[in-house]
Coordinates of all heavy atoms in Angstrom, one line a residue:
M12 N 31.9 33.1 103.4 CA 31.1 32.5 104.5 C 30.9 33.6 105.6 O 31.8 34.3 106.0 CB 31.8 31.3 105.1 CG 30.9 30.6 106.1 SD 31.5 29.0 106.6 CE 32.7 29.4 107.8
I13 N 29.6 33.6 106.1 CA 29.2 34.5 107.2 C 29.0 33.6 108.4 O 28.3 32.6 108.3 CB 28.0 35.3 106.8 CG1 28.3 36.2 105.6 CG2 27.5 36.1 108.0 CD1 27.0 36.8 105.0
D14 N 29.5 34.0 109.5 CA 29.3 33.3 110.8 C 29.0 34.4 111.8 O 29.9 35.1 112.2 CB 30.5 32.5 111.1 CG 30.3 31.5 112.3 OD1 29.4 31.8 113.1 OD2 31.1 30.6 112.4
T15 N 27.8 34.5 112.3 CA 27.3 35.5 113.2 C 26.3 35.0 114.2 O 26.1 33.8 114.2 CB 26.8 36.7 112.4 OG1 26.6 37.8 113.3 CG2 25.5 36.4 111.7
T16 N 25.8 35.8 115.0 CA 24.7 35.4 115.9 C 23.5 36.2 115.8 O 23.6 37.4 115.3 CB 25.2 35.5 117.4 OG1 25.6 36.8 117.7 CG2 26.4 34.5 117.7
V17 N 22.4 35.7 116.2 CA 21.1 36.4 116.2 C 20.4 36.0 117.5 O 20.4 34.9 117.9 CB 20.3 36.1 114.9 CG1 19.9 34.6 114.9 CG2 19.0 36.9 114.9
D18 N 19.7 37.0 118.1 CA 18.9 36.8 119.3 C 17.5 36.6 119.0 O 16.9 37.3 118.2 CB 19.1 37.9 120.3 CG 20.5 38.1 120.8 OD1 21.2 37.1 121.0 OD2 21.0 39.2 121.0
V19 N 16.9 35.6 119.7 CA 15.4 35.3 119.6 C 14.8 36.3 120.5 O 14.9 36.2 121.7 CB 15.1 33.9 119.9 CG1 13.6 33.6 119.8 CG2 15.9 32.9 119.0
I20 N 14.0 37.2 120.0 CA 13.4 38.3 120.8 C 11.9 38.2 120.8 O 11.3 39.0 121.6 CB 13.9 39.7 120.4 CG1 13.5 40.0 119.0 CG2 15.4 39.8 120.6 CD1 13.8 41.4 118.5
N21 N 11.3 37.4 120.0 CA 9.8 37.3 120.0 C 9.3 36.5 121.2 O 10.1 35.7 121.7 CB 9.3 36.7 118.7 CG 9.8 35.3 118.4 OD1 10.9 35.0 118.5 ND2 8.8 34.4 118.1
K22 N 8.1 36.8 121.6 CA 7.6 36.2 122.9 C 7.6 34.7 123.0 O 7.9 34.1 124.0 CB 6.2 36.8 123.1 CG 5.6 36.4 124.4 CD 4.3 37.1 124.7 CE 3.3 37.0 123.6 NZ 1.9 37.6 123.9
L23 N 7.2 34.1 121.9 CA 7.1 32.6 121.9 C 8.3 31.8 121.4 O 8.3 30.6 121.4 CB 5.9 32.2 121.0 CG 4.5 32.8 121.5 CD1 3.4 32.4 120.5 CD2 4.2 32.2 122.9
G24 N 9.4 32.6 121.0 CA 10.6 31.9 120.5 C 10.4 31.3 119.1 O 9.5 31.7 118.4
L25 N 11.2 30.3 118.8 CA 11.2 29.7 117.4 C 10.2 28.6 117.4 O 10.6 27.4 117.4 CB 12.6 29.3 117.1 CG 13.0 29.2 115.6 CD1 12.6 30.4 114.8 CD2 14.4 28.9 115.4
H26 N 9.0 28.9 117.5 CA 7.9 27.9 117.5 C 7.5 27.6 116.1 O 8.1 28.0 115.2 CB 6.7 28.4 118.4 CG 6.1 29.7 117.9 ND1 5.1 29.7 117.0 CD2 6.5 31.0 118.1 CE1 4.8 31.0 116.7 NE2 5.7 31.7 117.3
A27 N 6.4 26.8 115.9 CA 6.0 26.3 114.6 C 5.8 27.4 113.6 O 6.3 27.4 112.5 CB 4.8 25.4 114.7
R28 N 5.0 28.4 114.0 CA 4.7 29.5 113.0 C 5.9 30.3 112.7 O 6.1 30.6 111.5 CB 3.5 30.4 113.6 CG 2.9 31.3 112.6 CD 1.6 32.0 113.0 NE 1.6 32.3 114.5 CZ 0.8 31.7 115.4 NH1 0.1 30.7 115.0 NH2 0.8 32.1 116.6
A29 N 6.7 30.7 113.7 CA 7.9 31.4 113.4 C 8.9 30.6 112.6 O 9.5 31.2 111.6 CB 8.6 31.8 114.7
S30 N 9.0 29.3 112.8 CA 9.9 28.5 112.0 C 9.4 28.4 110.6 O 10.2 28.4 109.7 CB 9.9 27.0 112.6 OG 10.5 27.0 113.9
G31 N 8.1 28.4 110.4 CA 7.5 28.4 109.1 C 7.9 29.6 108.3 O 8.2 29.6 107.1
K32 N 7.8 30.8 109.0 CA 8.2 32.0 108.4 C 9.7 32.1 108.0 O 10.1 32.6 107.0 CB 7.8 33.2 109.3 CG 6.3 33.4 109.3 CD 5.9 34.6 110.1 CE 4.4 34.7 110.1 NZ 3.9 35.8 111.0
L33 N 10.5 31.5 108.9 CA 11.9 31.4 108.6 C 12.2 30.6 107.4 O 13.0 30.9 106.6 CB 12.7 30.9 109.9 CG 14.2 30.8 109.8 CD1 14.8 32.2 109.4 CD2 14.8 30.3 111.1
I34 N 11.5 29.4 107.3 CA 11.6 28.6 106.1 C 11.3 29.3 104.8 O 11.9 29.2 103.8 CB 10.7 27.3 106.3 CG1 11.2 26.5 107.5 CG2 10.7 26.5 105.0 CD1 12.4 25.7 107.3
E35 N 10.2 30.1 104.9 CA 9.8 30.9 103.7 C 11.0 31.8 103.2 O 11.2 32.0 102.0 CB 8.6 31.8 104.0 CG 7.3 31.0 104.1 CD 6.1 31.9 104.5 OE1 6.2 33.1 104.4 OE2 5.1 31.4 105.0
V36 N 11.7 32.3 104.2 CA 12.9 33.2 103.8 C 14.0 32.4 103.4 O 14.6 32.6 102.3 CB 13.3 34.1 105.0 CG1 14.6 34.8 104.8 CG2 12.1 35.1 105.3
T37 N 14.4 31.4 104.1 CA 15.7 30.6 103.8 C 15.6 29.8 102.5 O 16.6 29.7 101.8 CB 16.1 29.7 105.0 OG1 15.0 28.8 105.2 CG2 16.4 30.5 106.2
T38 N 14.4 29.3 102.2 CA 14.3 28.5 101.0 C 14.4 29.3 99.7 O 14.6 28.7 98.6 CB 13.1 27.6 101.0 OG1 11.9 28.5 101.2 CG2 13.1 26.6 102.1
K39 N 14.4 30.6 99.8 CA 14.5 31.5 98.6 C 16.0 31.6 98.1 O 16.2 32.0 97.0 CB 14.0 32.9 98.9 CG 12.6 33.0 99.2 CD 12.1 34.5 99.2 CE 12.9 35.3 100.2 NZ 12.3 36.7 100.3
F40 N 16.9 31.1 98.9 CA 18.3 31.4 98.6 C 19.0 30.1 98.3 O 18.7 29.0 98.8 CB 19.0 32.0 99.8 CG 18.4 33.4 100.1 CD1 17.5 33.5 101.2 CD2 18.7 34.5 99.4 CE1 16.9 34.8 101.4 CE2 18.2 35.7 99.6 CZ 17.3 35.9 100.7
K41 N 20.0 30.2 97.4 CA 20.9 29.1 97.0 C 21.9 28.8 98.1 O 22.4 27.6 98.2 CB 21.6 29.4 95.7 CG 20.7 29.5 94.5 CD 21.5 29.8 93.3 CE 20.5 29.9 92.1 NZ 21.2 30.3 90.8
S42 N 22.3 29.7 98.9 CA 23.3 29.6 99.9 C 22.9 28.5 101.0 O 21.7 28.3 101.2 CB 23.5 30.9 100.7 OG 24.1 31.8 99.9
K43 N 23.9 27.8 101.5 CA 23.6 26.9 102.6 C 23.4 27.7 103.9 O 24.3 28.6 104.2 CB 24.8 25.9 102.8 CG 24.6 24.9 103.9 CD 25.9 24.0 103.9 CE 25.7 23.0 105.0 NZ 26.8 22.0 105.1
I44 N 22.3 27.5 104.6 CA 22.0 28.3 105.8 C 21.9 27.4 106.9 O 21.0 26.5 106.9 CB 20.8 29.2 105.6 CG1 20.9 30.1 104.3 CG2 20.5 30.0 106.8 CD1 19.7 30.8 103.9
Q45 N 22.7 27.6 107.9 CA 22.6 26.8 109.1 C 22.4 27.7 110.3 O 22.9 28.8 110.4 CB 23.9 25.9 109.3 CG 24.1 24.9 108.2 CD 25.4 24.2 108.5 OE1 26.5 24.7 108.5 NE2 25.3 22.9 108.7
I46 N 21.7 27.1 111.3 CA 21.4 27.9 112.6 C 21.5 26.9 113.7 O 21.2 25.7 113.6 CB 20.0 28.6 112.4 CG1 19.9 29.6 113.5 CG2 18.9 27.6 112.5 CD1 18.7 30.6 113.2
G47 N 21.9 27.4 114.9 CA 21.9 26.5 116.0 C 22.6 27.2 117.2 O 22.8 28.4 117.3
K48 N 22.9 26.3 118.2 CA 23.5 26.7 119.4 C 24.9 26.2 119.5 O 25.1 25.0 119.5 CB 22.7 26.2 120.6 CG 21.3 26.6 120.7 CD 20.5 25.9 121.8 CE 19.0 26.3 121.8 NZ 18.3 25.5 122.7
G49 N 25.9 27.1 119.4 CA 27.3 26.7 119.5 C 27.7 25.9 118.3 O 27.5 26.3 117.1
E50 N 28.2 24.7 118.5 CA 28.7 23.8 117.5 C 27.5 23.0 116.9 O 27.7 22.3 115.8 CB 29.8 22.9 118.0 CG 31.0 23.6 118.4 CD 31.7 24.4 117.2 OE1 31.8 23.8 116.1 OE2 31.9 25.6 117.4
K51 N 26.4 22.9 117.6 CA 25.2 22.1 117.1 C 24.4 23.0 116.1 O 23.5 23.7 116.5 CB 24.3 21.7 118.3 CG 23.2 20.8 117.8 CD 22.3 20.5 119.0 CE 21.1 19.6 118.6 NZ 20.0 20.3 117.9
L52 N 24.7 22.8 114.8 CA 24.0 23.6 113.8 C 23.1 22.7 113.0 O 23.4 21.5 112.8 CB 25.0 24.2 112.8 CG 26.0 25.2 113.4 CD1 27.0 25.7 112.4 CD2 25.2 26.4 113.9
V53 N 22.0 23.2 112.6 CA 21.0 22.4 111.8 C 20.7 23.2 110.5 O 20.9 24.4 110.4 CB 19.7 22.2 112.6 CG1 20.0 21.4 113.9 CG2 18.9 23.5 112.9
D54 N 20.1 22.5 109.6 CA 19.7 23.1 108.3 C 18.5 24.1 108.6 O 17.5 23.7 109.0 CB 19.3 22.0 107.4 CG 18.9 22.5 106.0 OD1 18.9 23.7 105.7 OD2 18.6 21.6 105.1
A55 N 18.7 25.3 108.3 CA 17.7 26.4 108.5 C 16.6 26.3 107.4 O 15.7 27.2 107.4 CB 18.3 27.8 108.5
K56 N 16.7 25.3 106.5 CA 15.6 25.1 105.5 C 14.8 23.9 105.9 O 13.9 23.5 105.1 CB 16.3 25.0 104.1 CG 17.0 26.2 103.7 CD 17.7 26.0 102.4 CE 18.5 27.2 102.0 NZ 19.1 27.1 100.7
N57 N 15.0 23.3 107.1 CA 14.2 22.1 107.5 C 13.4 22.4 108.8 O 14.0 22.7 109.8 CB 15.2 21.0 107.7 CG 14.6 19.7 108.1 OD1 13.8 19.7 109.0 ND2 14.9 18.6 107.4
I58 N 12.1 22.4 108.7 CA 11.3 22.8 109.8 C 11.5 21.9 111.0 O 11.5 22.4 112.1 CB 9.8 23.0 109.4 CG1 9.1 23.8 110.5 CG2 9.2 21.7 109.1 CD1 7.8 24.5 110.0
L59 N 11.6 20.6 110.8 CA 11.8 19.7 112.0 C 13.0 20.0 112.7 O 13.1 20.0 113.9 CB 11.7 18.3 111.5 CG 10.3 17.8 111.1 CD1 10.4 16.3 110.6 CD2 9.3 17.9 112.2
S60 N 14.1 20.3 112.0 CA 15.4 20.7 112.6 C 15.3 21.9 113.4 O 15.8 22.0 114.5 CB 16.5 20.8 111.5 OG 16.7 19.6 110.9
L61 N 14.5 22.9 112.9 CA 14.4 24.2 113.6 C 13.6 24.0 114.9 O 13.9 24.5 115.9 CB 13.6 25.2 112.7 CG 14.4 25.7 111.5 CD1 13.5 26.6 110.6 CD2 15.7 26.4 111.9
L62 N 12.5 23.2 114.8 CA 11.7 23.0 116.0 C 12.5 22.2 117.1 O 12.3 22.4 118.3 CB 10.4 22.2 115.6 CG 9.4 23.0 114.7 CD1 8.3 22.1 114.3 CD2 8.9 24.2 115.5
M63 N 13.4 21.3 116.7 CA 14.2 20.5 117.6 C 15.2 21.4 118.4 O 15.7 21.0 119.4 CB 14.9 19.4 116.9 CG 14.0 18.3 116.3 SD 13.0 17.5 117.5 CE 14.2 16.5 118.3
L64 N 15.5 22.6 117.9 CA 16.4 23.5 118.6 C 15.9 23.9 119.9 O 16.6 24.2 120.9 CB 16.7 24.7 117.7 CG 17.6 24.6 116.6 CD1 17.7 25.9 115.8 CD2 19.0 24.2 117.0
G65 N 14.5 24.0 120.0 CA 13.9 24.5 121.3 C 14.4 25.9 121.7 O 14.7 26.1 122.8
A66 N 14.5 26.8 120.7 CA 15.0 28.1 120.9 C 13.9 29.0 121.4 O 13.1 29.5 120.7 CB 15.6 28.6 119.7
G67 N 13.9 29.3 122.7 CA 12.9 30.2 123.3 C 13.4 31.6 123.3 O 14.5 31.9 122.9
K68 N 12.5 32.5 123.8 CA 12.9 33.9 123.9 C 14.1 34.1 124.7 O 14.3 33.4 125.7 CB 11.7 34.7 124.5 CG 12.0 36.2 124.6 CD 10.8 37.0 125.1 CE 11.2 38.5 125.1 NZ 10.1 39.3 125.5
G69 N 15.0 34.9 124.2 CA 16.3 35.2 124.9 C 17.5 34.3 124.5 O 18.6 34.5 124.9
T70 N 17.2 33.3 123.6 CA 18.2 32.4 123.1 C 19.1 33.1 122.1 O 18.5 33.8 121.2 CB 17.6 31.1 122.5 OG1 16.8 30.5 123.4 CG2 18.7 30.2 122.0
T71 N 20.4 33.0 122.2 CA 21.3 33.5 121.1 C 21.6 32.3 120.2 O 22.1 31.3 120.7 CB 22.5 34.1 121.7 OG1 22.1 35.2 122.6 CG2 23.5 34.6 120.7
L72 N 21.3 32.5 119.0 CA 21.6 31.4 118.0 C 22.8 31.8 117.1 O 22.9 33.0 116.8 CB 20.4 31.2 117.1 CG 19.2 30.6 117.9 CD1 17.9 30.6 116.9 CD2 19.4 29.2 118.4
R73 N 23.5 30.8 116.7 CA 24.6 31.0 115.7 C 24.0 30.8 114.3 O 23.3 29.9 114.1 CB 25.7 30.0 116.0 CG 26.9 30.2 115.1 CD 28.0 29.2 115.5 NE 29.1 29.1 114.5 CZ 29.8 28.1 114.3 NH1 29.6 26.9 115.0 NH2 30.7 28.1 113.4
L74 N 24.4 31.7 113.4 CA 23.9 31.7 112.1 C 25.1 31.6 111.1 O 26.0 32.5 111.1 CB 23.1 33.0 111.8 CG 22.4 33.1 110.5 CD1 21.4 32.0 110.3 CD2 21.7 34.5 110.4
V75 N 25.1 30.5 110.3 CA 26.2 30.3 109.4 C 25.6 30.3 108.0 O 24.8 29.4 107.7 CB 27.1 29.1 109.7 CG1 28.2 28.9 108.7 CG2 27.6 29.2 111.1
I76 N 26.1 31.1 107.1 CA 25.5 31.2 105.7 C 26.7 31.2 104.8 O 27.7 31.9 104.9 CB 24.7 32.5 105.5 CG1 23.6 32.6 106.6 CG2 24.1 32.4 104.1 CD1 22.8 33.9 106.5
D77 N 26.6 30.3 103.8 CA 27.7 30.1 102.8 C 27.1 29.9 101.4 O 26.4 29.0 101.2 CB 28.6 28.9 103.2 CG 29.9 28.8 102.4 OD1 30.3 29.9 101.8 OD2 30.4 27.7 102.3
G78 N 27.4 30.8 100.5 CA 27.0 30.7 99.2 C 27.0 32.0 98.4 O 27.4 33.0 98.9
P79 N 26.5 31.9 97.2 CA 26.5 33.1 96.3 C 25.7 34.3 96.7 O 25.9 35.4 96.3 CB 26.1 32.5 94.9 CG 25.2 31.3 95.3 CD 25.9 30.8 96.5
D80 N 24.6 34.0 97.5 CA 23.7 35.1 97.9 C 23.6 35.2 99.4 O 22.6 35.6 100.0 CB 22.3 34.8 97.3 CG 21.8 33.4 97.5 OD1 22.4 32.6 98.3 OD2 20.7 33.1 97.0
E81 N 24.8 35.0 100.0 CA 24.8 34.9 101.5 C 24.5 36.3 102.1 O 23.9 36.4 103.2 CB 26.2 34.4 102.0 CG 27.4 35.2 101.5 CD 28.7 34.5 101.8 OE1 28.8 33.3 101.9 OE2 29.7 35.2 101.9
E82 N 25.0 37.4 101.5 CA 24.7 38.7 102.1 C 23.2 39.0 102.1 O 22.7 39.5 103.1 CB 25.5 39.8 101.3 CG 27.0 39.7 101.5 CD 27.5 40.1 102.8 OE1 26.8 40.8 103.6 OE2 28.6 39.7 103.2
K83 N 22.6 38.8 101.0 CA 21.1 39.0 100.9 C 20.3 38.1 101.9 O 19.4 38.5 102.6 CB 20.6 38.8 99.5 CG 19.2 39.0 99.3 CD 18.8 40.5 99.2 CE 17.4 40.7 98.8 NZ 16.7 41.8 99.4
A84 N 20.8 36.8 102.0 CA 20.2 35.9 102.9 C 20.3 36.4 104.3 O 19.3 36.4 105.1 CB 20.8 34.5 102.7
L85 N 21.5 36.8 104.7 CA 21.8 37.3 106.1 C 20.8 38.5 106.4 O 20.2 38.5 107.4 CB 23.2 37.7 106.2 CG 23.6 38.4 107.5 CD1 23.4 37.4 108.7 CD2 25.0 39.0 107.5
S86 N 20.7 39.4 105.4 CA 19.9 40.6 105.6 C 18.4 40.2 105.9 O 17.8 40.7 106.8 CB 20.0 41.5 104.4 OG 19.2 42.6 104.5
E87 N 17.9 39.3 105.1 CA 16.5 38.9 105.2 C 16.2 38.1 106.5 O 15.2 38.3 107.2 CB 16.0 38.2 104.0 CG 15.9 39.1 102.8 CD 15.0 38.6 101.7 OE1 14.1 37.8 102.0 OE2 15.2 38.9 100.5
V88 N 17.2 37.2 106.9 CA 17.0 36.5 108.1 C 17.0 37.4 109.3 O 16.2 37.3 110.2 CB 18.0 35.3 108.2 CG1 18.0 34.7 109.6 CG2 17.8 34.3 107.1
L89 N 18.0 38.3 109.4 CA 18.1 39.2 110.5 C 16.9 40.1 110.6 O 16.4 40.4 111.7 CB 19.4 40.0 110.4 CG 20.7 39.3 110.6 CD1 21.9 40.2 110.4 CD2 20.8 38.5 111.9
A90 N 16.4 40.6 109.4 CA 15.2 41.4 109.4 C 14.0 40.7 110.0 O 13.2 41.2 110.7 CB 14.9 41.9 108.0
L91 N 13.9 39.4 109.7 CA 12.7 38.6 110.2 C 12.8 38.5 111.7 O 11.8 38.6 112.4 CB 12.8 37.2 109.5 CG 11.6 36.3 109.9 CD1 10.3 36.8 109.5 CD2 11.8 34.9 109.3
F92 N 14.0 38.2 112.2 CA 14.2 38.1 113.7 C 13.9 39.4 114.3 O 13.2 39.5 115.4 CB 15.6 37.6 114.0 CG 15.8 36.1 114.1 CD1 16.0 35.4 112.9 CD2 15.7 35.4 115.2 CE1 16.1 34.0 112.9 CE2 15.8 34.0 115.3 CZ 16.0 33.3 114.1
A93 N 14.4 40.5 113.7 CA 14.2 41.9 114.3 C 12.7 42.3 114.3 O 12.3 42.9 115.2 CB 15.0 42.9 113.5
A94 N 12.0 41.8 113.3 CA 10.6 42.1 113.3 C 9.7 41.1 114.1 O 8.5 41.1 114.1 CB 10.1 42.0 111.8
K95 N 10.4 40.3 114.9 CA 9.8 39.3 115.8 C 8.8 38.4 115.0 O 7.7 38.1 115.5 CB 9.0 40.0 116.9 CG 9.9 40.9 117.8 CD 9.1 41.5 118.9 CE 10.0 42.4 119.8 NZ 9.3 43.0 120.9
F96 N 9.2 38.1 113.8 CA 8.5 37.2 112.9 C 7.1 37.7 112.6 O 6.2 37.0 112.3 CB 8.4 35.7 113.5 CG 9.7 35.1 113.7 CD1 10.4 35.2 114.9 CD2 10.3 34.4 112.7 CE1 11.7 34.7 115.1 CE2 11.6 33.8 112.9 CZ 12.3 34.0 114.1
Y97 N 6.9 39.0 112.7 CA 5.7 39.7 112.4 C 4.5 39.2 113.3 O 3.4 39.2 112.8 CB 5.3 39.6 110.9 CG 6.5 40.1 110.1 CD1 7.3 39.3 109.4 CD2 6.7 41.5 110.0 CE1 8.4 39.7 108.7 CE2 7.7 42.0 109.2 CZ 8.6 41.1 108.5 OH 9.6 41.6 107.8
E98 N 4.8 38.9 114.5 CA 3.8 38.4 115.5 C 3.4 39.6 116.4 O 4.3 40.4 116.7 CB 4.3 37.3 116.3 CG 4.6 36.0 115.5 CD 5.3 35.0 116.3 OE1 5.6 35.2 117.5 OE2 5.5 33.9 115.8
A99 N 2.2 39.6 116.9 CA 1.8 40.6 117.8 C 2.4 40.3 119.2 O 2.6 39.1 119.5 CB 0.3 40.6 118.0
D100 N 2.8 41.3 119.9 CA 3.4 41.1 121.2 C 2.4 40.7 122.3 O 1.5 40.7 122.7 CB 4.1 42.4 121.7 CG 5.5 42.5 121.0 OD1 6.0 41.5 120.6 OD2 5.9 43.6 120.9

């Protein structure tokens, strides 16, 4: 199990389009992927749950991944956040 944090650095935060891109990544993996603030974690494969987080720019989110492909899932999720969800600044 991997338990780490990731910072939201894109200008608009985890809004609908960014959440959709995150769903595209997370649903490729068998691992259980959860994201949230502190102890309040939600399913990172559910767009409504992601939108309810209200994670704006500068938010630090906790990322918990557990399963057979957790390392690959972590790598792709972190890359997506680092690339600012491929949005223009």
Side-chain angles (χ1 to χ4, degrees):
M12 182 168 84
I13 298 170
D14 190 338
T15 189
T16 60
V17 62
D18 294 324
V19 179
I20 59 173
N21 61 310
K22 184 170 57 173
L23 298 174
L25 203 52
H26 59 92
R28 192 168 36 252
S30 293
K32 289 182 181 178
L33 182 56
I34 296 288
E35 287 177 20
V36 170
T37 58
T38 55
K39 295 190 303 186
F40 298 100
K41 292 181 180 176
S42 294
K43 180 178 181 180
I44 305 173
Q45 295 179 297
I46 195 165
K48 301 174 184 174
E50 295 301 312
K51 182 185 183 281
L52 296 175
V53 299
D54 181 1
K56 298 179 182 182
N57 182 308
I58 195 156
L59 290 177
S60 296
L61 293 175
L62 293 173
M63 294 298 288
L64 284 175
K68 183 177 181 176
T70 303
T71 298
L72 295 172
R73 182 174 168 214
L74 184 61
V75 178
I76 307 174
D77 188 23
D80 49 7
E81 60 191 24
E82 293 289 339
K83 180 76 172 146
L85 174 67
S86 174
E87 289 198 27
V88 169
L89 292 179
L91 183 63
F92 274 83
K95 299 181 182 179
F96 300 93
Y97 304 103
E98 297 173 352
D100 279 336

